Amino acid sequence: MANHFPADSCFTCPKADRFDWCRHSLSGLTAFDTNKNTKLHARKETIFQEGEPCDGIYCVQSGEIAIGKSDRDGNMVILRIADSSSTLGLSSFFAEREHTTTAIALTPTRVCHVPRSAVEILIARNPKLAYSFFKHVVAELDEMEGLYLANATTTVRQRLIHLLDSVKDRYATSNPNTGVVLKLPLSRCDLASMVATRPETISRTIQQLRSEGIADFREKFVTIPDVARLAVEARRTRTA
Amino acid sequence: MANHFPADSCFTCPKADRFDWCRHSLSGLTAFDTNKNTKLHARKETIFQEGEPCDGIYCVQSGEIAIGKSDRDGNMVILRIADSSSTLGLSSFFAEREHTTTAIALTPTRVCHVPRSAVEILIARNPKLAYSFFKHVVAELDEMEGLYLANATTTVRQRLIHLLDSVKDRYATSNPNTGVVLKLPLSRCDLASMVATRPETISRTIQQLRSEGIADFREKFVTIPDVARLAVEARRTRTA
DNA sequence: CGGGGGTTTGAGTCCGTTCAAAATACGTGG
DNA sequence: CCACGTATTTTGAACGGACTCAAACCCCCG
């Protein structure tokens, strides 16, 4: 499982620009350092799971993490993707209850776990921090409401295109004259979970997008000849 | 449109037990009273709308309100229903941006609008209040994640049954030996929006539930012979 | 009594699912 | 570094749930 080793110090946080909320709370960081816990997770490893008690928050230093939720039959959907700019577990932390989602590493990942007590100390010293966290959660709520709506009113093709559009900046590798090339940390199954459909359907939809000249999937690389077209195509229902 | 009249005083709030966050903040209520704005909305009236600037929060004193979101083509889904125990607009308020959802009265409704300045004063006097609000938003996020999952993995029939199950306490009118009777403030169109489908499908599903003896819809009244069965049936895919 | 919105019913179609098999990628050990 | 076994992905065919469009129906209100 996860690789344990001496915790990183917040004062030498490998994340160059730290976390948005962290930048403004440097004075309280010593509380963090005394209790922190840094772990390395391999691909597919679980960082935390639905139903597990939540005893703090997670700072993602590097890697890509899928945040998902599954029902009793084992069906799983990916709600969002967290990366090195993310802080995980905020909602469960503030609700003071078990995790309601599951976090799984999509790539090798380095994560700091900060226990409840340390977070509370930090907030006590800097009350505005709570607002910063609050805004994170609000953004997630807004995101979820949008996802829910999109899922109810669009086709798989539209959702997949929209997904590409929404991650095009995050995963762009190069921009030669052939168009933008994305390197997705997602398998076809992951893509399926993200647009709430089945792998078979994703496969077929990918073929369709290729034939339409919208996006060309090769392994985990996606070539998009005309990025601007994504936004347009995301609204079209008919294949025409 | 909405019926304006002198604002209610928080000190004589018609809501007997006040709001959970309000109960603990009585000392700051004078700030509210100076600026508040009480409105009466008729059925189908809009209380606030997506894109509108958010300049405070709303306390629902009485009535039922649909919180929805719609896309550019006018498709609308109902995300949740607010009633007299609800405070509206918290997420937009704390995100400090326009409303991302629309609130429409399902029944005649009495709502107090509390401007931003007043809320801020109240929070300043009682910082714990922010946590109370925070928890509200977290609960909504959790709810949305669950809805999203359910929508992706269940049929309309399952979702409708689950909906009945989840509102059975809120709308129960009587409990004669014929079973529980609910009085829903929802039209068939509203039901459709709540389970993310079309009115026609709701109509057909209702027929199905009647023939299965699960729920009998008559106008806005729903008779449920065996409430315990709802939870069971909500998991069954096959009609068998 | 005559609209008119909401609801129901019907028929046909489509998108996405399901199940099954073939093809391809991938990791692991020799 | 290659060969093999496993997992993932693709392809195919058939099915089914929900949508669409359209018409009939019904109830409420004026």
Side-chain angles (χ1 to χ4, degrees), chain A residues 155-156 159 197-198 200-201 204 219:
Chain A
T155 64
V156 168
R159 275 177 268 150
T197 187
R198 305 279 141 179
E200 297 96 319
T201 303
R204 289 181 235 273
E219 315 290 310

Side-chain angles (χ1 to χ4, degrees), chain B residues 208-228:
Chain B
Q208 196 188 342
L209 295 190
R210 169 153 51 210
S211 74
E212 296 184 64
I214 295 173
D216 193 348
F217 287 70
R218 279 207 188 84
E219 313 291 310
K220 305 216 160 178
F221 291 90
V222 189
T223 304
I224 301 172
D226 181 2
V227 178

